[in-house]
Amino acid sequence: MNGKAMQSLLCLGRFLGCFLAFWACSSSDQADSDDSRPWKVPEEANHRLNPFQDEASVEAGQALYNVYCWSCHGASGMGDGAAGGAMGSQPADFHTESFLNQTDGAIFWKISQGRNVMPSFDEILSEQQRWQVTAYIRKLGEGMAETLAASPVSLREDISIQHYLKVPARAVRIFYQPETDALWYATFGGDVYKIDRSERPLHAEKVITATEHGINRLQGATVYGNTLFLAGNIRVNDNKGTTGWMMRVELNPLGNHRVSKVFSTVEYGTTSTPFDHGWSAVKVSPDGRYIYVVSGSRTDHGEVQDNKGAYPNSRNEPLTAGIFRFPIDAQDVLLPNDLEALRNAGYLYAEGIRNAYDFDFDKDGNLFAVVNSGDYDQSEDMFWVREGHHYGFPWVMGGLDTPQQFADWYPDPEKDPFLNTSAAAWPEGFYNDPQFPKRPEGIAFTPGMRNFGPDAVKYRDRATGDIRDAFEEGTSIVGFTAHSSPLGLNFDREHWLGGSYTGSAFTLRYTNGTKSSLMQPFTDSGEDLLQLRVTFDPEVSNFRLNTWRIAEGFSQPVDAVLVGNELYVIEYGGRQRGGNIWKVIFPKTDAL
């Protein structure tokens, strides 16, 4: 069970990489990924009886589950939450015989104690609350609790939403091939599918697998002409380390696709935490000359993450927390873990970006990225990304300084309300960091875009700790409400959309405030679609935002692609049950 909220995509190399964006949890009824020993429940705990099993207790347990446990264990309780898939570990499946054969006392003890990346809830939830959660997951495992799938709804009269297609579990990307009028999607495990939009009934054809292209932790995928570009990670050193890869797949209608490597990286360390974001979003430049790819951070906020000593003193690495660029025809590039070498070779396009699980170009060729912040209550960024710029991570996120860099700061939730004790970074002590590195000399950080609302602009007041609404106060925040996990960024570059949507951008919020202990203090909305109006402000030499919620009710929406006046939204779909593609239909421009 887990109090962590989803942050891009995806990881989804922390998958959500977050995600997207993209968190990992240990199984509570199986061995840990790094510990072959099963849980050993003390006899006195094993024989305790649950004093809270009435209907009201089960309902209270469900509410707590939706905040603290859903992101890893999933709405179904099958261990299929996207956060739980982040590091390749398997959270407990409450429907298994081994789980159901446990006593309530054993389940309560495990919830209380925690293990590895699953935190202890002894100080987070009261004893009564832990028994209530125990009662709910017992009912969930026995198939007696309600687990209704969400159906998205439009919040505007001029747009409609239709179900398009069911997809397998762990879908992470959706993209479009105009030459064949085909939608494509990819899964975290490396399968890539094609949907011919003209065929009826619609069906998805599996085109290539991880066995063929080599990436078994896939988070980035796009198509350009007749070529797929796929990005992700491959574990090495007994899963303690990783390498980043991008593969090129030249498609052959008869099969036998030609596969070649664009780049790979030298080995660097993973972290055994929820914060390994990995290599994710991939986009080809509008002129077709370059391929861009995101590498997310390997830490929450720049702390030491040495994977239990395997990679001593490792914080962020030169190969992480940036956006990279390669010539479209690059072949077999080996990237060193050396900052100056990456800069001098021209591969490191922009630095200091924690986890840009998605990005897109506007009609003028400007590159924008939506970015996840960490477990501290800093807002989520949106950046105008330019070559050679540094965007501040780990020293600045969401327009706020990371407090670890200041010698007089000590992590105390009683004094600093930006610290959430249910966050993954808190119980592991990641905020205790007196050796936090100093800011690099001679580098000016490029600020994020300010958001003037009216939606997604809740923030925590720096002086009082209160949750406030910037739009109601006539002001703005940097980016989006904290812990939103924005992804699926799309611009209406061709002005296909009519009415108030012409020229807009759109992004999804993966997280839902009712299901996230991090986002809940700010809002009870999320898992929704935002319309963005992006305009240049010459006074600050940067772009600014306005945001509106226009649809809600998605279930783990992880990516989207705009095709004409239709936005196709794909859901992650857990680890077992699968998700959906939804078609959001906008009015067309009068010129068409």
Side-chain angles (χ1 to χ4, degrees):
M1 185 161 302
N2 200 311
K4 304 178 288 292
M6 184 66 182
Q7 305 184 13
S8 89
L9 290 169
L10 299 189
C11 29
L12 265 114
R14 155 232 211 176
F15 230 139
L16 229 203
C18 165
F19 155 143
L20 258 156
F22 159 100
W23 286 256
C25 308
S26 309
S27 171
S28 63
D29 67 331
Q30 300 175 15
D32 291 300
S33 59
D34 63 345
D35 186 349
S36 60
R37 296 170 297 172
W39 288 80
K40 292 184 178 180
V41 180
E43 277 303 306
E44 62 273 18
N46 203 39
H47 293 291
R48 293 187 68 182
L49 299 178
N50 188 349
F52 298 97
Q53 301 189 57
D54 58 283
E55 184 175 342
S57 293
V58 173
E59 290 179 358
Q62 181 178 18
L64 292 165
Y65 180 91
N66 287 340
V67 172
Y68 293 99
C69 318
W70 163 86
S71 62
C72 276
H73 291 280
S76 66
M78 293 181 178
D80 56 0
M87 304 300 295
S89 61
Q90 176 64 61
D93 181 347
F94 303 138
H95 300 264
T96 62
E97 183 177 354
S98 61
F99 181 87
L100 293 173
N101 283 342
Q102 297 178 100
T103 67
D104 284 354
I107 297 170
F108 175 85
W109 184 84
K110 293 175 181 180
I111 293 170
S112 302
Q113 295 298 310
R115 187 165 72 167
N116 289 345
V117 296
M118 174 180 161
S120 164
F121 284 86
D122 186 54
E123 296 183 0
I124 297 171
L125 301 177
S126 69
E127 180 174 340
Q128 178 176 337
Q129 287 174 320
R130 280 174 276 144
W131 281 121
Q132 289 169 337
V133 172
T134 299
Y136 175 70
I137 64 175
R138 170 72 71 186
K139 296 292 186 184
L140 189 62
E142 293 172 350
M144 299 170 63
E146 185 178 9
T147 57
L148 297 177
S151 296
V153 295
S154 171
L155 301 177
R156 298 279 185 88
E157 294 182 354
D158 55 353
I159 63 176
S160 61
I161 303 176
Q162 299 176 2
H163 184 263
Y164 190 70
L165 197 66
K166 185 76 176 174
V167 297
R170 306 176 83 193
V172 292
R173 292 292 170 186
I174 186 168
F175 46 103
Y176 178 64
Q177 184 180 30
E179 292 83 359
T180 61
D181 191 30
L183 287 171
W184 293 72
Y185 68 87
T187 68
F188 187 66
D191 293 334
V192 183
Y193 296 80
K194 179 180 179 181
I195 306 168
D196 186 334
R197 294 206 305 160
S198 66
E199 287 190 357
R200 294 295 182 274
L202 288 168
H203 73 280
E205 173 193 2
K206 187 184 293 187
V207 174
I208 195 167
T209 68
T211 302
E212 297 169 273
H213 60 69
I215 302 174
N216 54 21
R217 296 170 60 81
L218 183 69
Q219 293 194 88
T222 194
V223 64
Y224 183 73
N226 202 42
T227 303
L228 292 173
F229 290 92
L230 308 175
N233 287 72
I234 296 175
R235 288 292 186 89
V236 296
N237 189 19
D238 289 332
N239 286 329
K240 297 175 183 177
T242 191
T243 58
W245 283 28
M246 181 188 287
M247 301 301 289
R248 176 189 290 107
V249 181
E250 297 174 56
L251 298 167
N252 182 341
L254 301 178
N256 297 318
H257 312 298
R258 182 181 176 188
V259 180
S260 60
K261 186 180 294 182
V262 178
F263 74 81
S264 60
T265 74
V266 298
E267 176 186 335
Y268 58 98
T270 60
T271 67
S272 291
T273 74
F275 307 119
D276 271 317
H277 296 92
W279 294 79
S280 57
V282 176
K283 286 276 174 32
V284 176
S285 61
D287 60 12
R289 295 175 57 197
Y290 296 102
I291 183 83
Y292 292 76
V293 60
V294 168
S295 178
S297 74
R298 62 184 297 278
T299 69
D300 177 61
H301 54 267
E303 74 279 6
V304 170
Q305 290 290 359
D306 62 3
N307 202 341
K308 302 181 180 179
Y311 298 89
N313 302 314
S314 293
R315 293 180 181 266
N316 284 309
E317 299 293 332
L319 287 169
T320 65
I323 294 179
F324 290 71
R325 185 181 71 176
F326 303 88
I328 194 75
D329 58 354
Q331 293 275 3
D332 292 319
V333 175
L334 179 62
L335 297 181
N337 200 17
D338 182 295
L339 188 59
E340 288 306 314
L342 293 169
R343 287 172 176 168
N344 293 337
Y347 297 134
L348 183 55
Y349 185 77
E351 301 175 48
I353 301 176
R354 182 179 182 272
N355 183 34
Y357 199 71
D358 206 11
F359 53 59
D360 197 20
F361 294 92
D362 72 359
K363 65 180 179 62
D364 298 316
N366 295 303
L367 181 62
F368 296 89
V370 286
V371 184
N372 301 147
S373 293
D375 277 4
Y376 198 69
D377 281 349
Q378 291 151 307
S379 299
E380 313 276 66
D381 281 298
M382 183 167 176
F383 291 133
W384 174 25
V385 181
R386 287 161 284 175
E387 184 175 9
H389 285 233
H390 195 300
Y391 291 85
F393 179 80
W395 298 276
V396 180
M397 286 180 275
L400 290 178
D401 290 334
T402 302
Q404 285 78 5
Q405 64 192 291
F406 304 113
D408 60 351
W409 183 82
Y410 181 79
D412 182 353
E414 295 296 324
K415 297 179 180 178
D416 189 341
F418 282 67
L419 289 168
N420 189 319
T421 56
S422 68
W426 174 254
E428 300 297 332
F430 296 156
Y431 291 122
N432 300 311
D433 198 351
Q435 303 301 317
F436 197 85
K438 296 184 181 299
R439 295 190 183 207
E441 295 182 1
I443 295 180
F445 297 153
T446 301
M449 299 161 58
R450 299 203 69 86
N451 186 353
F452 291 81
D455 294 325
V457 288
K458 297 287 185 68
Y459 72 100
R460 192 179 290 283
D461 185 83
R462 182 78 262 182
T464 67
D466 295 338
I467 303 298
R468 310 181 74 90
D469 189 303
F471 181 73
E472 292 178 356
E473 298 173 335
T475 184
S476 63
I477 67 170
V478 173
F480 310 98
T481 298
H483 314 299
S484 294
S485 297
L487 32 72
L489 183 64
N490 283 267
F491 278 84
D492 176 28
R493 287 189 295 271
E494 305 301 326
H495 286 192
W496 271 84
L497 307 186
S500 63
Y501 307 105
T502 306
S504 291
F506 304 90
T507 194
L508 298 162
R509 291 196 296 180
Y510 181 90
T511 314
N512 189 317
T514 64
K515 301 175 181 178
S516 163
S517 58
L518 295 184
M519 193 178 177
Q520 187 187 55
F522 295 88
T523 179
D524 60 2
S525 65
E527 289 185 302
D528 50 13
L529 176 63
L530 302 179
Q531 177 191 358
L532 314 179
R533 180 63 63 184
V534 179
T535 54
F536 186 74
D537 186 347
E539 291 189 6
V540 295
S541 298
N542 201 350
F543 286 84
R544 57 181 284 176
L545 287 171
N546 289 95
T547 57
W548 297 267
R549 296 179 68 239
I550 62 174
E552 66 179 0
F554 299 97
S555 179
Q556 299 178 308
V558 70
D559 198 19
V561 63
L562 186 62
V563 181
N565 68 314
E566 298 171 345
L567 183 76
Y568 294 85
V569 177
I570 194 167
E571 298 172 335
Y572 175 66
R575 293 178 67 96
Q576 299 180 38
R577 70 186 184 279
N580 300 283
I581 298 174
W582 301 94
K583 181 167 66 173
V584 183
I585 305 171
F586 294 90
K588 290 183 179 180
T589 180
D590 294 338
L592 297 176

